[in-house]
Amino acid sequence: MYPEYMAESLRKVAQTRPGRLELARKPAPVYPPMNAEERQAVLEGFHPDYEPSARRPVRVGPNRGETLTTEVADLLESHSWLRSEQVDLEHPDFETDLLIIGGGGAGCNAALVAMQEHGMRSMIATKLRMGDSNTIMSQGGMQAAVSATDSPTRHFLDAIGGGHFENKPELVKALTEDGPAVVKWLEDLGVVWDKEEDGSMQVLHGGGTSRKRMVSCRDYTGAMIMRTLMDEVRNHPDMITIKEFMPAVELIMDDEGRCAGAILYSMDSEEFFTVKAKSTLIATGGYGRLHIRGYDTTNHYGATGDGLVMAYRAGAKLMYMDSVQYHPTGASFPEQIAGFLITEKIRGAGGQPLNKDGELFVFPREPRDIEASAIIRECVQNGGGVETPSGRLGVWLDSPLIDMLHGEGYVAHQFPAMYRQYIRYGIDINKLPMLIYPSLHYQNGGVEINERCETDIPGLYVAGEATGGLHGRNRLMGNSVLDYNVFGRRAGRYAGEYAKSVKLGRLSLAHLDKFEQELADSGVQTDLVTPILLPSYAPKDVKKRRLVRGGNVLPGASVLHNRLHDERSGN
């Protein structure tokens, strides 16, 4: 239930609905889309990336001197869990053809393709349970040019434009050209796509698209894809080994500079294990749980940027790590689910963002960074936001309008997960709008790769959200789902091919000592230990009592939370 004091604002939303419904039924946009100058102005004025303290130069590593998101620079300028002399590399605990770090969609795709095309054995090392990932959190759908009025070329142009023309074109070409085949691959594995009555694929608009292109499984798209991929992986225990609750904490190199596996950490036994691998894939996803700029996040509990840290220490260059995506529509109320993703598919189906007076203030399908910035402007500058009991701000997303446009029952049928999430708190989204505000959603940048998922370290591949370059500095809706499927498959193909012929040299962790020396030489003083693995939401007084055995140092997650938020805010 919404608080009583919100009733007047809700009344205004209902009062303006008939007029807005009439607008929505016309072919013209319900609100004028911004031109290029207006878009740039709202970005520079209100997007969190443009805050004065949002970026700073990083002082160590391959990107030394480049300006990165401040929290990312802090994350990279950190100490390893290990020193080279602490680990016995002469007798690896495990050996495999392909080590896959991360148990989400990209990792599963890679394992399956490496097995099918090259007969490669894989080990998937995952921090939590298999499938616990941002893959399973995605709702609205996946972009792919499968309709008669669309083409990969149009998809390419939309993606390039949405990324502010800073994408790596060869990656976008691979994404868009592989898209239709990925739809078929997933359907053949068992994904049940939404279809029209004639059997054709149901497609919808997303923000920044020139054609209806989004295929979906109601609003369970990620869950359906992840379940299907995970089931197929588990069907091949003789070829694909799964290690749950065993995240990687450092990469292993050989004496010729090739990646040769990783050190895993058992969260059950608190032991370290060495894995020697002919090729290694980082598929660790994003960093939403860093809560950059203090924002709530849509990301799963383990999204802490681990792959970035490991690859960076080993010498891999990062790309576009100065750019963060905030989803325009994260839940602002109920506050128990603050940050929860409200799929863009809601706006694609006709849901409208409204201020406290029930007025439209932005075209509903602007690209994500533009839409998010406009919502922040409406709340912060224009005073058009609604305040929650704890002081959060939000605007209304008018979901009841959708049934009026498409017929009674459309919302319940197309958005069952959303309906069930809200009805738990006494809010029927068929009858009442949702209160929303931008939420930290996606890591636009990552480890730089080519179209074969190769990095500048031989034997190290990266796929999915941990990569940089594909989306430029802004990602369009649905391209991330396509991303981890396209590039997960490509990583399996090319990493499997590499593993057939490579002859590894002597294993080494010398890069850790080198990085530690660079920290010292650069004058970096930090107590941060990474990867942090899991975020900490414990109160500060509890954190102060949590001391790591033998070191009197706070665990990495607690240190990160203290340094990135408590100290910087002066609390």
Side-chain angles (χ1 to χ4, degrees), residues 29-162:
V30 296
Y31 193 88
M34 296 186 205
N35 60 35
E37 291 76 19
E38 290 169 331
R39 287 181 173 185
Q40 191 60 34
V42 77
L43 277 178
E44 292 180 359
F46 298 95
H47 194 281
D49 280 353
Y50 288 85
E51 293 177 11
S53 62
R55 300 164 176 166
R56 72 164 178 86
V58 66
R59 293 171 286 178
V60 295
N63 292 76
R64 181 173 182 168
E66 293 184 21
T67 300
L68 308 183
T69 298
T70 298
E71 292 85 347
V72 172
D74 290 346
L75 188 75
L76 298 176
E77 293 175 358
S78 59
H79 302 290
S80 173
W81 289 44
L82 302 166
R83 297 293 179 269
S84 61
E85 68 273 8
Q86 295 175 303
V87 183
D88 176 17
L89 297 176
E90 296 295 328
H91 306 93
D93 297 293
F94 306 103
E95 294 194 36
T96 187
D97 295 322
L98 172 59
L99 173 62
I100 298 170
I101 304 171
C108 287
N109 271 295
L112 292 171
V113 171
M115 175 190 69
Q116 293 171 357
E117 296 188 5
H118 301 293
M120 293 290 109
R121 296 181 185 274
S122 298
M123 174 182 287
I124 299 177
T126 184
K127 180 189 303 186
L128 299 172
R129 299 168 301 177
M130 190 68 179
D132 285 338
S133 61
N134 281 346
T135 296
I136 208 167
M137 305 290 284
S138 60
Q139 300 170 356
M142 179 178 85
Q143 285 203 45
V146 295
S147 71
T149 60
D150 202 3
S151 69
T153 301
R154 291 185 184 278
H155 189 180
F156 176 94
L157 293 172
D158 286 348
I160 290 282

